Amino acid sequence: MRRLYRLQRARLTAAPLSVRPALGLPGRLLQLTALIGALVLAVVAGVWWGYHSGQEQERVRLGNAAKAVVANASALAQANAQLAEKGQQLQIAEAARAALASDLANAQQDLASSHERLAFFETLLTANDRTHTVSFASCEFEAGGNNLWHYRLTVVQGVDRAPEFDGVLNIVVLNKPGNKTVRIEFPEQAVRVKHYQRLEGDVTLPAGAKPEAFVATLGVKDAKTTLAQCQKKPGAT
């Protein structure tokens, strides 16, 4: 025990003496301030690094977004150009279709007119009576509004190389309001026929009239002779 004590004493005696001043309150405050300053600098450095790192990431993200916007705008412009081209092609096709439809309608109308003219001349050939000076090839009366009736008459000459026929047309309506038939006569009309002639016009009947038949006659002015006559009942074909 004594030996251990002597060894410790000898070790303490051999060590050099050092004097350390004791820190007072100001020193401790200064040390604490330095420590806090170091911490603040570390925090500021971390915030600065984080800010600049986030700013760089945001710049990269915005750059990628801008590239995506440019790519989308280019794709949209290309799609709009294709849409405009397709729209123009559709307009051209629609105009061509309308032109074809118009040409077809005109062709059908021309064909119908040709058929009508052919039927008319066939009627002339079959109805032409060469034993008479003139005759009716067709005789039509159609009802209109307000007691109006429209007539269409076709007159042909029956003699080859005959001079122009100069005569009068008379239209009479046989009206039967009751048991008695009443003749309604209209003013005569001058007609001139060379080979054939179509005559059209309108006659107006009195209110309440019930026509039983329409009679058209051709004659010579100031003469009582009837050269041709046709009679048509309303609604008859």
Side-chain angles (χ1 to χ4, degrees):
M1 186 72 179
R2 288 180 179 179
R3 185 178 177 180
L4 178 62
Y5 174 74
R6 286 195 296 271
L7 290 174
Q8 291 179 350
R9 185 176 179 182
R11 188 166 52 249
L12 291 173
T13 303
L17 296 176
S18 61
V19 178
R20 295 180 180 179
L23 294 175
L25 181 60
R28 291 181 179 179
L29 290 176
L30 181 61
Q31 187 179 20
L32 181 61
T33 302
L35 179 61
I36 293 174
L39 291 175
V40 169
L41 288 176
V43 170
V44 170
V47 170
W48 180 85
W49 181 86
Y51 171 76
H52 283 278
S53 177
Q55 191 177 34
E56 180 65 20
Q57 294 178 358
E58 184 66 17
R59 186 184 65 79
V60 173
R61 187 186 69 80
L62 290 176
N64 294 333
K67 292 179 181 179
V69 169
V70 171
N72 291 335
S74 177
L76 180 61
Q78 185 177 4
N80 287 335
Q82 292 178 352
L83 182 62
E85 183 180 359
K86 296 298 182 183
Q88 185 177 7
Q89 292 176 355
L90 181 60
Q91 289 179 353
I92 294 174
E94 182 64 22
R97 186 200 65 79
L100 289 176
S102 178
D103 291 342
L104 178 59
N106 292 334
Q108 290 176 342
Q109 185 176 2
D110 292 341
L111 181 60
S113 299
S114 298
H115 286 167
E116 183 180 357
R117 288 193 297 269
L118 179 60
F120 170 71
F121 285 111
E122 287 178 347
T123 302
L124 291 182
L125 291 175
T126 57
N128 190 3
D129 185 358
R130 295 182 181 276
T131 61
H132 293 81
T133 305
V134 289
S135 61
F136 286 100
S138 65
C139 183
E140 299 177 7
F141 287 85
E142 294 180 353
N146 299 324
N147 298 317
L148 189 70
W149 287 79
H150 184 75
Y151 64 86
R152 285 192 297 270
L153 310 172
T154 303
V155 181
V156 295
Q157 284 184 292
V159 180
D160 291 337
R161 298 182 181 179
E164 184 179 54
F165 172 75
D166 187 3
V168 292
L169 169 69
N170 289 280
I171 295 178
V172 176
V173 177
L174 302 181
N175 185 35
K176 194 173 183 179
N179 295 327
K180 184 179 179 181
T181 301
V182 179
R183 290 170 57 90
I184 302 176
E185 298 183 2
F186 295 91
E188 65 180 19
Q189 307 173 41
V191 294
R192 301 175 70 89
V193 180
K194 182 66 173 179
H195 303 307
Y196 73 91
Q197 182 70 39
R198 283 185 173 179
L199 307 175
E200 289 192 52
D202 298 297
V203 292
T204 302
L205 301 183
K210 297 180 179 179
E212 186 179 42
F214 295 86
V215 180
T217 60
L218 286 171
V220 179
K221 187 175 179 61
D222 298 330
K224 301 296 184 180
T225 305
T226 298
L227 301 179
Q229 176 177 302
C230 70
Q231 182 170 326
K232 195 78 169 182
K233 292 184 177 181
T237 58

